[in-house]
Amino acid sequence: MSNTSKTGRKTTITVVPDDEKENRGPEVVKDAKASSSLADIGSNEALTKVRKKTTARVPPLTLPTSSPLSPAAEEFHLPPFVSSVPTSNTLASMMSTLSLTPPFSPHIPPPPLYQNHQPHSHSVTAVVEQPGFISLRMRHGVVLDISANMAIRLKNMFKDSSISLSSCTTQMALVHPKGRMLQYGPRVEVQCEDNVSVKNAKIYPRGISFTANNMALVYLLDEAGARSTSDMFHDLYATQIADTLFMESCQREGQAVTTSIQQLDKARYWRTQGNVDCWVIGPVFIQQTEDGLVIVERETQQGDKFILKTSPSNGKVKVDSWFLQMTASLGMESHLFLRSKDRRLHYSGETKVFTVRNAGHSAGFDEEGSLRIF
């Protein structure tokens, strides 16, 4: 009887170091008499590691909450205005926050552009702005600015008109779609532009001088009549003369902002039985009727009274003082009219006729821009 003997199963595995794996594959040597069974091997993971090199996923890096950087270093402390910004998860809301809520300091109020981004027609707000003036935003897009030294700017946002009065009341500027006016001392300049020509006039103690950009001469109208002369005129359309006059009149030294805050605290308000809103800020008396008409009165220490009016419905403005009276309007009867003592100026926005009058004489430009002596 032949004896049958079983040879023990044996497997030999040779693992190549990592630096040699790139040059050759893993080398596995088995005994010829080894069986296909791998019972003696602890698990299949050993072969897997030899046959194929795998890279385990690296877990994300997390910093402990007690990191010495976050509580100790000053650069990791957010300023108060950043920490107070509301958080959001959506990109649209983040962009909205960035565009509408810039990081202003909590001690300085944001500009009124952001405070009144969508103003209501029936709301009235008053704020103090740099360099020191009260901005009263009334109904129908009318804004009244009063500086600490009582300079005034009345703006009609819907009809693109504004009137400014200096703190000393010797200078005044008016901007209107039909023309512009600048008063400085005893002189008043007017400029009107249309598709025919650019017309200029100046009222001063000698008389009225006037010209146009299609004319080579300057004319003077005085007690002797009309004749040529030499004179110079300001380009009133070169800058925003009403804004420039008001900002130059604002008090820039001292406690202008503090003064304006105190003036606003002492302001008085009431509404009459006729639904007229009334305010009193220092020597300035303000009224706004139900249809939006604004009337501003300022009285000086000498007893002189200056009245400024603007209407958001028809675009009419009016200036009344002891030195001059002026009106301007839009619509079918659009015009610009100025009177200073016995001197007058009239411009028709419909016919383009420009006329000046002085001492019983009249002259100006007709519909075609030609000189006419009446």
Side-chain angles (χ1 to χ4, degrees):
M1 179 181 295
S2 61
N3 295 328
T4 303
S5 63
K6 298 182 179 179
T7 304
R9 302 179 181 89
K10 182 178 180 181
T11 303
T12 303
I13 301 174
T14 303
V15 181
V16 181
D18 293 338
D19 56 349
E20 297 180 5
K21 288 180 181 181
E22 297 177 357
N23 300 325
R24 60 177 179 171
E27 184 176 337
V28 180
V29 181
K30 292 185 181 180
D31 192 356
K33 296 181 180 180
S35 173
S36 61
S37 176
L38 299 177
D40 296 339
I41 299 178
S43 64
N44 295 334
E45 296 178 0
L47 285 178
T48 304
K49 294 181 180 178
V50 173
R51 294 172 182 171
K52 183 179 181 180
K53 181 181 178 182
T54 59
T55 303
R57 176 178 296 179
V58 180
L61 179 63
T62 58
L63 294 177
T65 56
S66 60
S67 174
L69 292 177
S70 55
E74 294 181 357
E75 59 269 21
F76 285 86
H77 286 284
L78 296 178
F81 62 83
V82 175
S83 59
S84 62
V85 173
T87 59
S88 178
N89 296 326
T90 61
L91 179 61
S93 59
M94 290 175 63
M95 295 301 294
S96 176
T97 302
L98 290 175
S99 60
L100 297 181
T101 313
F104 292 99
S105 171
H107 302 289
I108 300 177
L113 176 63
Y114 298 99
Q115 293 180 354
N116 303 281
H117 186 65
Q118 294 179 350
H120 300 285
S121 59
H122 299 287
S123 63
V124 177
T125 60
V127 296
V128 175
E129 299 186 1
Q130 294 283 0
F133 63 89
I134 300 172
S135 182
L136 182 62
R137 298 175 176 269
M138 294 177 282
R139 295 177 289 107
H140 301 283
V142 180
V143 180
L144 175 64
D145 298 327
I146 304 175
S147 68
N149 54 357
M150 293 297 122
I152 296 175
R153 177 175 58 183
L154 181 61
K155 302 183 69 173
N156 188 341
M157 308 298 291
F158 293 163
K159 299 300 182 180
D160 194 22
S161 63
S162 58
I163 312 171
S164 293
L165 177 66
S166 65
S167 58
C168 59
T169 68
T170 59
Q171 302 177 41
M172 186 181 301
L174 182 143
V175 174
H176 191 268
K178 293 304 174 182
R180 298 191 175 192
M181 180 272 294
L182 177 65
Q183 177 206 348
Y184 47 99
R187 289 172 170 79
V188 183
E189 289 194 40
V190 176
Q191 184 173 349
C192 301
E193 291 188 358
D194 52 42
N195 55 359
V196 177
S197 62
V198 179
K199 307 166 181 63
N200 292 81
K202 180 190 296 184
I203 298 176
Y204 57 109
R206 186 179 176 185
I208 304 177
S209 59
F210 62 98
T211 187
N213 64 345
N214 61 344
M215 294 289 170
L217 299 176
V218 178
Y219 302 94
L220 172 65
L221 186 67
D222 57 7
E223 296 179 355
R227 61 181 183 273
S228 62
T229 185
S230 61
D231 204 343
M232 297 181 63
F233 303 88
H234 291 93
D235 185 6
L236 304 184
Y237 282 83
T239 60
Q240 293 294 332
I241 57 175
D243 295 339
T244 302
L245 176 60
F246 176 76
M247 296 306 296
E248 291 295 331
S249 300
C250 288
Q251 181 180 354
R252 299 181 180 272
E253 298 180 357
Q255 303 295 327
V257 175
T258 304
T259 303
S260 296
I261 294 175
Q262 295 174 353
Q263 293 171 349
L264 183 58
D265 291 337
K266 296 178 181 178
R268 292 180 294 163
Y269 166 78
W270 70 92
R271 173 172 288 186
T272 65
Q273 295 181 354
N275 294 326
V276 178
D277 296 322
C278 303
W279 296 267
V280 174
I281 302 177
V284 181
F285 177 44
I286 309 112
Q287 303 176 72
Q288 186 174 32
T289 61
E290 194 171 4
D291 61 351
L293 173 66
V294 175
I295 305 172
V296 181
E297 300 181 12
R298 181 193 166 184
E299 187 172 355
T300 63
Q301 296 180 353
Q302 293 77 19
D304 298 327
K305 183 178 292 187
F306 295 81
I307 302 176
L308 314 178
K309 297 181 181 181
T310 183
S311 174
S313 59
N314 55 18
K316 186 176 182 179
V317 298
K318 183 176 181 180
V319 176
D320 191 359
S321 69
W322 66 272
F323 182 70
L324 64 86
Q325 297 79 39
M326 183 174 183
T327 61
S329 66
L330 300 174
M332 298 299 297
E333 298 180 357
S334 61
H335 74 283
L336 188 146
F337 173 78
L338 186 146
R339 181 179 64 185
S340 179
K341 298 181 179 179
D342 60 342
R343 297 159 188 175
R344 291 171 173 82
L345 182 150
H346 184 270
Y347 169 74
S348 173
E350 295 298 319
T351 62
K352 317 302 181 186
V353 175
F354 187 87
T355 307
V356 294
R357 296 181 177 89
N358 182 26
H361 303 281
S362 299
F365 306 109
D366 59 11
E367 295 88 344
E368 299 178 354
S370 302
L371 176 66
R372 289 289 182 268
I373 299 176
F374 304 100

